[in-house]
Amino acid sequence: MRKIGAAMLDRGYDVEFWQCSSDNDSLDGVLIPAISCGVIDGTPPHNTDPKYPGAVEEIFDLGLNWDRALLKARRQEIISLTDEISGLFKAAYEKLAEAGAIIETQVEENKAKVDQPLLRQIAAELTESIYHSCRPVSRHLFSTAVTPKGMLSFCESLAGLAANRWYLFGPRGCGKERLLEALAAEAEQRGHFAEVYHPALLPEQIELLLLPDLDTVIVDSGETAPAYAVAADHLVDCGKFCPASATEQDTSHALVEEAAELIARAKAMHDKLEQYY
């Protein structure tokens, strides 16, 4: 897939490389939008069957190339590794679910304290500063993932795609999330193409809104302004919507790190499993 993507880049096409979260140095697919063509990994855990086999999609069964005698000789090792990998992923997802629940609790606690009139005022000001008019389309993707190397974020590189950058920062639940939701809805209402990026732990929330036709990006940069922001960038302190309060110890980061360690162990075993194949 990587060679196909590189070959199409050499031919002058824009290519999307879809990263694999359980092995962020690997790919789950490549897409060449201009010719409506893509190649994806259809094997577990993201089994994908063609909708119109033969008529539209093609199946390439690389299993035709394997050495069955060699794999049968390694039957027990393959079964053992596969089952252990599944167990590690199950444990990792349990920790990520726990971390997500902690973050959701923090968001809900702060929502009740938000200065709603001030939030609406800032939303209106941002709307008028950013939008004009165009066509109503949106596309939803992920901007972060929990990988064997820890939490991986593409927010900085995505922000670099636009000249006009707005960074929203402040504690969880202070209003950043609702500002981004309102701006995404307004983009569609006003007919702007939008790429809507979601965080790995709370996929129903928005982390980054990219508006290519306006050369604009709006980013939830966390509790503080990003270190990579430059003088021309717009910084919006959303902490002023919500009074500061003492909070319990945030253990979500530790849980995410533990989950990443489990995923890293699963990847090491998967690498060993791949050697058999």
Side-chain angles (χ1 to χ4, degrees), residues 4 112 122 199 213 216 236 247 266:
I4 290 169
I122 298 299
D213 60 304
T216 294
V236 182
T247 58

Side-chain angles (χ1 to χ4, degrees), residues 175-187:
K176 299 176 299 180
E177 301 85 359
R178 275 177 282 178
L179 262 182
L180 277 163
E181 287 172 9
L183 290 168
E186 192 68 27

Side-chain angles (χ1 to χ4, degrees), residues 14-62:
D14 287 336
V15 179
E16 294 184 7
F17 292 87
W18 295 348
Q19 307 296 129
C20 172
S21 61
S22 60
D23 180 2
N24 45 286
D25 293 321
S26 184
L27 294 177
D28 277 342
V30 291
L31 177 69
I32 306 96
I35 58 173
S36 298
C37 184
V39 183
I40 62 172
D41 178 355
T43 56
H46 36 63
N47 300 55
T48 307
D49 291 319
K51 185 175 182 181
Y52 308 108
V56 177
E57 303 95 349
E58 294 288 343
I59 299 173
F60 293 92
D61 182 5
L62 301 180

Side-chain angles (χ1 to χ4, degrees), residues 19-259:
Q19 307 296 129
C20 172
S21 61
S22 60
D23 180 2
N24 45 286
D25 293 321
S26 184
L27 294 177
D28 277 342
V30 291
L31 177 69
I32 306 96
I35 58 173
S36 298
C37 184
V39 183
I40 62 172
D41 178 355
T43 56
H46 36 63
N47 300 55
T48 307
D49 291 319
K51 185 175 182 181
Y52 308 108
V56 177
E57 303 95 349
E58 294 288 343
I59 299 173
F60 293 92
D61 182 5
L62 301 180
L64 296 173
N65 302 317
W66 59 35
D67 185 331
R68 293 180 182 276
L70 180 63
L71 293 175
K72 285 183 180 295
R74 296 289 188 175
R75 181 174 183 272
Q76 279 309 123
E77 295 99 313
I78 289 171
I79 291 173
S80 176
L81 281 170
T82 301
D83 291 347
E84 195 161 354
I85 290 168
S86 296
L88 287 168
F89 272 114
K90 183 176 183 293
Y93 294 150
E94 287 172 355
K95 290 188 179 295
L96 292 177
E98 191 176 345
I102 290 170
I103 294 171
E104 283 181 338
T105 299
Q106 293 172 337
V107 170
E108 291 303 317
E109 286 176 351
N110 280 329
K111 272 184 179 180
K113 307 168 190 171
V114 171
D115 182 335
Q116 297 294 340
L118 181 57
L119 178 61
R120 286 193 292 271
Q121 175 192 330
I122 298 299
E125 290 174 1
L126 285 176
T127 296
E128 293 306 317
S129 299
I130 294 169
Y131 295 131
H132 313 156
S133 62
C134 250
R135 53 194 171 98
V137 184
S138 62
R139 187 177 178 210
H140 293 259
L141 308 100
F142 281 103
S143 46
T144 56
V146 181
T147 77
K149 295 181 180 179
M151 182 69 83
L152 184 69
S153 172
F154 285 92
C155 285
E156 181 176 356
S157 59
L158 287 166
L161 297 175
N164 306 307
R165 294 181 289 269
W166 300 74
Y167 294 106
L168 316 181
F169 63 93
R172 293 167 181 157
C174 68
K176 299 176 299 180
E177 301 85 359
R178 275 177 282 178
L179 262 182
L180 277 163
E181 287 172 9
L183 290 168
E186 192 68 27
E188 187 162 330
Q189 187 72 23
R190 297 194 179 208
H192 291 283
F193 171 74
E195 288 188 1
V196 185
Y197 289 87
H198 302 268
L201 290 183
L202 297 177
E204 71 282 357
Q205 289 189 5
I206 298 171
E207 187 169 44
L208 184 146
L209 182 62
L210 180 62
L211 305 162
D213 60 304
L214 298 178
D215 203 11
T216 294
V217 65
I218 308 105
V219 186
D220 177 349
S221 67
E223 296 194 0
T224 60
Y228 51 83
V230 298
D233 294 338
H234 306 276
L235 304 178
V236 182
D237 181 3
C238 298
K240 60 188 176 184
F241 306 147
C242 180
S245 61
T247 58
E248 296 181 8
Q249 183 181 5
D250 183 359
T251 58
S252 63
H253 297 293
L255 288 164
V256 170
E257 288 176 4
E258 289 175 25

